[in-house]
Each structure stands twice: as C-alpha cells, then as structure tokens.
C-alpha cells in the first residue's frame, strides 16, 4: 500500500531511510550515512521531502519502502532519491514507488544515482526501462607529501605551454568542463604542472585544493608515446608536492580501465563507485 507523509510518522520514515543509507548496497548516492546530515539534505531539497515522499507500508504501519523526488522545471529534470526498498518488497513496491515519485515531477527527464554494488536498484532501473549510464569511480590516497628539495621533475605550466597543453588536453578530455585557458589562468582556480620532453611538455596535471587536507586532481595525461615511463606517477607527486597536501583525490570514468589500473598500482583506493540511471519520457 502506498502512503504519503500524512499517513505515517515522518520520524519513522526518516529512520527507515537512514538505515538504508548505511551501506552502498542499499543507499542512494546523493545522501551520506550521518542521520543529521541526511535530514538536513532532505529538508534542503527544492521541493520539501515531506511533500514528495511516497512510502510503501503494510496495513499495520511497517515501512518497507520509500522514495523522494526533487525537480527543476527550467532544466526539465528530476532527481529521484531512493527508492529505498527492503529486498523482499523490491519487485512489488519498487516499481510502484518509482512511478509514484516521478509522476509528481512536471519534467520529462529523470535521474537517480546509486553505488555500482546496489544490485536492487540496477534491477529496478532495468525493469522500469531506465538506462544505466557510465559509472564514475572516486579514488583517494593519503600519504606524506614527497620529501626532499624537489621530488618530481615537473614544473609549473606557463602561457608558452598552451599549444602543447591544448593538444594533450583536447585529445584526452574532449568537451570537458575546463578549457586549456582556464587551466593556465594564473587568477583561476586550477594549478597546472608539466613534465618536459625533448621539445615540449609530454605530460600535465591540473588540480585544485579540496577542503583543508586534500588536493583534487582534475586532469592528468601523458602523451601516448611517453607512457609507462613513470611520468604519470611523477605528475601525481608534483601535485602533492606543490599543494603540500597529504590526501590526493580524483574521479575516473568507467571507460578508462588503464587509468584505473594506474591509480590502483599507485596505492589509491576506491571510495565510491556511482552509476547514474536515466529515464526520458516523451514531452
Ligand atoms: C593514466 C596515465 C596518466 C598513466 O601515465 P603513465 O606515465 O603511463 O604512468 P606510469 O608510467 O607512471 O605508471 C605507473 C604504474 O601504473 C601502472 N600502469 C600505468 N598505466 C597502466 C596501464 N595502461 N595498464 C596497467 N597498469 C598501468 C603500472 O603499474 C605502472 O608501472 P610499470 O609501468 O612499472 O608497470 C596515462 O595512461 C594517460 O595519460 N592516460 C590517458 C588519460 C587518462 O586516462 N588520464 C587519467 C584520467 S583521470
């Protein structure tokens, strides 16, 4: 039976959601594990969660599923939070909840995100005709910044590096969110280092500071002819050295198995692995 927040104590629904958030196999990717943060995030949605939440419960009030939605009409897109559903109720309550929350959103494109380990959501998405997108892997490594006067042979990039950097950047990351000009802008948010080959740079790394302790690698690439010679490793060391940060974080898309092997070889661990699911309804 599907219910709204009028029918069921919101505290009980929140408790159910918090329990399902505790493991990647049952969590939705937007919310973390901390109960007060989950509550704050739900209350901060564009549409208050208590208006959009739909709950699957038995007649005696036992909750076995819930879902929430938020949408942006200008972007013509909604984001489903959940559905959080107990395994034995997935096949019945899952499709019902998904249909009930998306029906509220006056948009044609719908998205939801979950860990790649969330088999229940993968099944539900497929069953309901949602398309699974490319997974994104978050990596992190904490180690002391390299010691010594200069642990890497990298140097800070300058405007003179622009033509070579553009070629490398546009080949490896076509259409990405930051242009070569932005990576080289001394007043911008990115820092970029390069390692020189005989005539020009053969590899670059661009990063930003993240929080108090981390450096976030936005882009890293080595010319195909210069790979497997340790340049990638030295560029990571350069970003760590220049930033003075002990934690290095980054994300890699599923279609880059070489990069994933590289980060694993350097001792990075996967901290999250998120897959998007999308549904496009006719306008
Ligand atoms: C990922 C990339 C930067 C690695 O640069 P690199 O200079 O070749 O890496 P290194 O030589 O420092 O490799 C260090 C170790 O990582 C591992 N590694 C690197 N490339 C690998 C690959 N293609 N397959 C398996 N392991 C690999 C190896 O263990 C290697 O040590 P080894 O050569 O002694 O076996 C490079 O392949 C590249 O530019 N790829 C395209 C762009 C990209 O995917 N960037 C990362 C996106 S976030």
């Amino acid at each position: 039976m599907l219910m709204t927040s009028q029918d069921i104590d919101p505290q009980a629904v929140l408790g159910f959601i918090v329990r399902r958030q505790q493991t990647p196999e049952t969590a939705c990717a937007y919310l973390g594990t901390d109960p007060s943060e989950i509550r704050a995030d739900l209350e901060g949605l564009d549409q208050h969660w208590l208006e959009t939440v739909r709950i699957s419960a038995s007649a005696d009030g036992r909750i076995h599923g819930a879902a929430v939605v938020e949408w942006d009409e200008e972007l013509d897109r909604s984001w489903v939070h959940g559905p959080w559903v107990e395994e034995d109720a997935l096949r019945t309550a899952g499709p019902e909840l998904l249909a009930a929350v998306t029906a509220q959103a006056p948009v044609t494109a719908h998205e939801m995100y979950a860990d790649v380990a969330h088999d229940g959501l993968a099944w539900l998405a497929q069953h309901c005709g949602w398309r699974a997108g490319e997974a994104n892997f978050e990596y992190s490594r904490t180690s002391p910044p390299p010691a010594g006067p200069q642990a890497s042979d990298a140097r800070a990039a300058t405007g003179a590096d622009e033509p070579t950097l553009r070629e490398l950047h546009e080949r490896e990351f076509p259409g990405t969110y930051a242009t070569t000009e932005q990576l080289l802008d001394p007043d911008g948010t990115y820092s970029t280092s390069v390692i020189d080959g005989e005539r020009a740079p053969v590899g670059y790394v661009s990063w930003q500071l993240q929080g108090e302790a981390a450096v976030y690698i936005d882009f890293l690439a080595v010319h195909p002819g210069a790979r497997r010679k340790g340049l990638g490793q030295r560029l990571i060391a350069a970003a760590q050295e220049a930033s003075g940060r002990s934690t290095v974080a980054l994300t890699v898309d599923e279609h880059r198995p070489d990069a994933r092997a590289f980060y694993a070889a350097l001792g990075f661990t996967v901290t999250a692995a998120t897959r998007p699911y999308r549904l496009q309804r006719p306008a």
Side-chain angles (χ1 to χ4, degrees):
M1 191 185 334
L2 278 201
M3 301 182 181
T4 70
S5 61
Q6 308 291 313
D7 310 310
I8 286 224
D9 173 17
Q11 279 308 322
V13 183
L14 193 59
F16 176 80
I17 292 173
V18 167
R19 281 197 297 285
R20 304 298 293 176
Q21 278 302 118
Q22 296 312 303
T23 63
E25 289 82 359
T26 57
C28 109
Y30 306 106
L31 308 173
T33 55
D34 180 77
S36 49
E37 282 176 21
I38 292 173
R39 184 194 191 114
D41 285 349
L42 287 173
E43 287 176 352
L45 297 182
D46 285 354
Q47 291 76 28
H48 198 286
W49 76 284
L50 289 178
E51 285 164 26
T52 68
V53 67
R54 295 294 177 270
I55 306 138
S56 172
S58 47
D60 62 4
R62 204 181 75 78
I63 300 169
H64 39 66
V68 169
V69 69
E70 127 182 267
W71 61 86
D72 182 322
E73 279 187 74
E74 251 174 58
L75 293 177
D76 189 28
R77 191 166 298 271
S78 90
W79 297 271
V80 173
H81 293 56
W84 300 273
V85 192
E86 283 181 349
E87 284 67 24
D88 53 4
L90 183 69
R91 280 165 190 273
T92 48
E96 231 182 352
L97 281 166
L98 201 48
V101 287
T102 51
Q104 298 174 71
V107 297
T108 61
H110 305 278
E111 288 185 359
M112 56 185 175
Y113 290 77
D115 196 280
V116 295
H118 195 332
D119 293 338
L121 202 85
W123 176 85
L124 181 62
Q126 191 187 21
H127 180 79
C128 297
W130 291 55
R131 196 169 41 83
E134 185 181 17
N136 180 266
F137 296 83
E138 288 175 30
Y139 283 86
S140 168
R141 186 188 72 185
T142 299
S143 58
Q150 198 180 7
S152 162
D153 50 351
R155 62 169 174 84
T158 70
D161 300 316
E162 210 235 275
T164 320
L165 201 61
R166 180 189 301 282
E167 203 187 311
L168 276 172
H169 187 54
E170 292 184 358
R171 182 177 40 216
E172 289 304 337
F173 305 101
T176 189
Y177 57 87
T179 62
T180 312
E181 288 78 14
Q182 288 171 314
L183 301 186
L184 289 173
D185 180 357
D187 301 322
T189 59
Y190 301 97
S191 299
T192 297
S193 288
V194 295
I195 292 183
D196 289 314
E198 278 178 24
R199 280 182 302 280
V202 285
Y204 75 103
V205 60
S206 296
W207 74 89
Q208 301 180 76
L209 299 181
Q210 187 181 60
E212 294 299 310
V215 55
Y216 182 84
I217 307 283
D218 286 276
F219 304 102
L220 166 71
V222 171
H223 189 282
R227 289 183 190 164
R228 300 304 288 263
K229 294 180 179 152
L231 271 69
Q233 184 161 4
R234 284 171 6 234
L235 285 162
I236 296 276
Q240 207 178 354
E241 185 182 21
S243 65
R245 298 291 174 92
S246 49
T247 298
V248 182
L250 52 97
T251 64
V252 181
D253 288 335
E254 199 170 22
H255 75 269
R256 294 185 186 274
D258 288 358
R260 295 184 56 206
F262 166 74
Y263 291 117
L266 263 57
F268 282 77
T269 52
V270 175
T271 52
T274 309
R275 189 178 299 288
Y277 298 92
R278 298 191 176 92
L279 179 72
Q280 182 67 52
R281 290 213 172 99

